[in-house]
Amino acid sequence: MYYSRLRMLSVVGVCLLGLVLCAPNFMQRPLPSMPWRQIHLGLDLRGGSYLLMQVDLKSLAKDRLQSLSDGVRQALLADGLGYRDIRVEVQKQQVTFTPRDPSERDRDVKTLDAMPRVVPNEFSVASQPDGSIALTLSPDAMKLRAQDAVTQSIEIVRRRIDATGAIDPEITRQGDDRIVVELPGVSDPERVKALLGTTARMTFRLVDESAGAGQIAPAGATMLPDMDAGGQMLAVRDHIEVDGADLTNAGATTDQQTGGWAVSFSLDSVGTRAFANVTQANVGRRFAIVLDDKVIEAPVIHTAITGGNGLITGNFDAAKATDLALLLKAGALPVPLTVMEERSIGPSLGADSIRAGAISLGVGFFFVIAFMALFYGRFGWYANVALLANLVLMAAILSLFEATLTLPGMAGMLLTLGMAVDANILIIERIREEIGRGRSALAAMQAGFERATSTIVDSNATALLAHVMLFVFGTGPVRGFALTITIGIVTTLFTTLMLSRLLMVRWYALRRPTTLPV
């Protein structure tokens, strides 16, 4: 029951620090000497946008089959083998071709079987009854790649949204192929939708000069719209000379020659070497910059470019150049995303939720204070002071970490107040029992705190572990609820075992009563 001056000042100091950290939530502008950290409001309190996006897993298989088709050509030609009628069959998940000579079939199978796999057992190579050879993708391997693609998509979506300056976005997986994006405070999601709906895969390919305007693309090439020429179709080779994945940086800038907006980019060592080789070997040919199957521009290579830096020009304004740079810097999505559901929550609905939550919290707090004051007298008022400090410390910790408060989080704060009252009631009832046994006032307080402390710590420790697990494995509203309860348990232990005891001890030291007001 003895409190040293240092211990007493430490308890009071923690409470005052909590008050300082909590204050910015009720101020319009920060004071220069005050740390300015606030609690952020979640989607249900602040309003904002909700997007449900689906990952197009079919395109994942189509892209892999296309790359396998290119790999087959390169592998066969490297071993001096030929092929005829190579084709991609998306429905059958196959790449098939006819050997140049039937006697080369076994060598073809052996060569293709040695091709590298992205994942173990990704594809199998077998001869067909009609004399062709087929590479068939494994369903299990594609399922594994699909899981990786969704995980990678979530990370890229997070980087793109963070670059827009959105505060506390919530990005979670839903099922096998869906991603939920919650954006508090973003009432117009059109720009975010455009950023997330763009795959942003940029490649550098050579233009096939043998195909004229309006003609059918020759083998190994595809007709793509040239945005720099008003959408006119342009034959572009399927083989990717330089991949946009080799980009290390991108930014919006101005073209020194035209004064218009452009996007500068830098390549890593692999991309720089590939860019230098292709530009050196193809001087005089057109080199297409392709973004999501659209040609941004197709300039003529006048000289080898060895520096690893380049400039993308086009009909850009400041916003388009900035968004394109953001997309390139964040990285390309492995698969396209489609918006399946979109909801916008207005600030008025969020304000109503805040008002309802604040009323429930205030009413609950009032009844708890009235109950404690009515049934436990002076010690009940000390418990009420500790309860108010508990609420302040919870808000202070949430502010310190700039946590997001949701409606379930406010419910967690109200439940914490009830749990804190339970701890104080347990202590006071213990003191009553000791007085009933004939102990003196000081001995009753000492025994009451000692016997109640272990019970309070045990019960709160088990509750803490349970809510930590909820926070780790839960999502959305469950995590918000678990976060406030977890913080509330820590502050409850401090205010009950330290602050309440301090108030009671200081009262006893000053008054030296013979009986206790319980």
Side-chain angles (χ1 to χ4, degrees):
M1 298 299 294
Y2 171 72
Y3 263 68
S4 66
R5 186 179 298 273
L6 177 61
R7 188 179 180 187
M8 182 174 62
L9 292 176
S10 298
V11 174
V12 175
V14 169
C15 295
L16 292 177
L17 178 61
L19 190 61
V20 171
L21 293 175
C22 181
N25 294 288
F26 306 97
M27 301 169 58
Q28 293 296 326
R29 293 189 178 184
L31 296 175
S33 58
M34 182 179 293
W36 188 247
R37 291 177 178 267
Q38 289 180 302
I39 298 174
H40 298 302
L41 300 180
L43 188 67
D44 51 358
L45 297 179
R46 188 181 179 186
S49 297
Y50 170 94
L51 298 174
L52 176 62
M53 313 192 78
Q54 187 171 31
V55 177
D56 185 5
L57 297 180
K58 292 182 179 179
S59 66
L60 184 67
K62 181 179 179 181
D63 291 344
R64 182 53 183 151
L65 289 171
Q66 186 62 50
S67 63
L68 273 180
S69 176
D70 294 338
V72 167
R73 291 189 180 94
Q74 296 178 19
L76 293 177
L77 294 176
D79 282 1
L81 301 171
Y83 58 86
R84 292 184 293 110
D85 193 23
I86 187 168
R87 58 191 179 276
V88 173
E89 299 182 15
V90 179
Q91 296 297 329
K92 295 181 179 180
Q93 303 281 284
Q94 287 182 341
V95 175
T96 61
F97 71 96
T98 303
R100 178 181 57 186
D101 190 332
S103 63
E104 296 179 347
R105 182 175 290 107
D106 293 339
R107 290 180 59 197
D108 289 342
V109 172
K110 184 177 180 180
T111 297
L112 299 180
D113 199 40
M115 288 176 58
R117 271 80 166 169
V118 176
V119 294
N121 303 318
E122 182 186 16
F123 60 85
S124 59
V125 184
S127 298
Q128 304 297 304
D130 59 358
S132 64
I133 297 176
L135 281 78
T136 306
L137 291 175
S138 166
D140 293 338
M142 288 308 300
K143 185 177 180 180
L144 183 61
R145 288 203 67 196
Q147 294 175 354
D148 293 340
V150 174
T151 302
Q152 186 180 355
S153 297
I154 291 175
E155 181 59 30
I156 292 173
V157 165
R158 189 180 306 278
R159 291 205 299 261
R160 291 184 182 182
I161 291 178
D162 288 345
T164 65
I167 299 176
D168 289 325
E170 186 74 23
I171 304 166
T172 55
R173 181 200 294 259
Q174 185 180 89
D176 294 331
D177 60 349
R178 294 188 176 187
I179 299 173
V180 174
V181 181
E182 295 182 356
L183 304 171
V186 179
S187 57
D188 183 12
E190 292 303 321
R191 179 172 179 242
V192 177
K193 283 173 55 181
L195 290 176
L196 300 185
T198 303
T199 306
R201 187 188 181 194
M202 189 172 74
T203 56
F204 298 84
R205 313 183 204 173
L206 291 170
V207 175
D208 194 321
E209 306 288 356
S210 63
Q215 294 183 359
I216 299 175
T222 304
M223 301 298 291
L224 299 178
D226 186 356
M227 308 309 294
D228 200 32
Q232 182 179 351
M233 303 305 290
L234 183 66
V236 179
R237 303 291 298 176
D238 292 334
H239 178 66
I240 297 173
E241 304 291 346
V242 182
D243 199 326
D246 298 327
L247 285 173
T248 58
N249 195 16
T253 184
T254 54
D255 188 355
Q256 299 296 328
Q257 297 181 353
T258 63
W261 283 94
V263 177
S264 61
F265 64 88
S266 302
L267 298 167
D268 59 15
S269 58
V270 175
T272 300
R273 186 162 51 252
F275 206 83
N277 291 338
V278 69
T279 54
Q280 187 174 14
N282 294 277
V283 174
R285 296 186 61 182
R286 296 180 69 187
F287 199 33
I289 302 174
V290 182
L291 179 68
D292 292 344
D293 295 331
K294 295 179 181 179
V295 179
I296 299 178
E297 60 174 338
V300 177
I301 302 173
H302 296 290
T303 183
I305 303 174
T306 59
N309 299 315
L311 195 68
I312 303 173
T313 59
N315 298 320
F316 296 134
D317 55 20
K320 290 183 178 179
T322 301
D323 286 349
L324 177 58
L326 185 154
L327 292 170
L328 297 179
K329 190 184 298 183
L333 289 168
V335 285
L337 295 178
T338 304
V339 177
M340 303 296 295
E341 182 182 351
E342 174 189 349
R343 295 201 304 265
S344 293
I345 300 175
S348 59
L349 181 59
D352 291 340
S353 299
I354 294 176
R355 190 178 303 108
I359 291 173
S360 63
L361 191 62
V363 172
F365 191 71
F366 171 78
F367 279 114
V368 168
I369 288 178
F371 173 83
M372 294 300 292
L374 181 63
F375 284 90
Y376 296 106
R378 179 182 291 273
F379 281 6
W381 280 109
Y382 290 157
N384 289 334
V385 173
L387 203 62
L388 181 60
N390 192 1
L391 188 60
V392 170
L393 289 175
M394 287 179 61
I397 294 176
L398 290 172
S399 301
L400 182 62
F401 293 101
E402 297 184 314
T404 300
L405 181 64
T406 60
L407 203 56
M410 296 184 73
M413 296 178 74
L414 184 57
L415 180 58
T416 299
L417 297 181
M419 294 169 61
V421 166
D422 288 343
N424 282 283
I425 290 176
L426 185 60
I427 292 173
I428 298 174
E429 289 293 342
R430 282 288 190 180
I431 294 175
R432 276 183 174 178
E433 290 180 5
E434 297 302 324
I435 291 176
R437 293 174 182 174
R439 288 178 179 265
S440 65
L442 182 60
M445 290 177 64
Q446 177 74 24
F449 272 107
E450 285 181 352
R451 294 185 179 184
T453 297
S454 59
T455 304
I456 293 171
V457 171
D458 288 345
S459 62
N460 280 276
T462 54
L464 179 67
L465 291 175
H467 288 92
V468 167
M469 292 301 102
L470 277 179
F471 181 79
V472 172
F473 296 107
T475 58
V478 175
R479 295 191 70 186
F481 177 79
L483 176 64
T484 52
I485 291 287
T486 302
I487 295 174
I489 290 173
V490 175
T491 57
T492 295
L493 290 174
F494 173 79
T495 55
T496 302
L497 301 180
M498 300 295 292
L499 183 59
S500 293
R501 182 182 297 193
L502 172 63
L503 295 173
M504 294 180 187
V505 168
R506 292 307 301 166
W507 169 79
Y508 182 85
L510 293 174
R511 295 296 180 88
R512 299 289 180 177
T514 56
T515 59
L516 296 178
V518 292

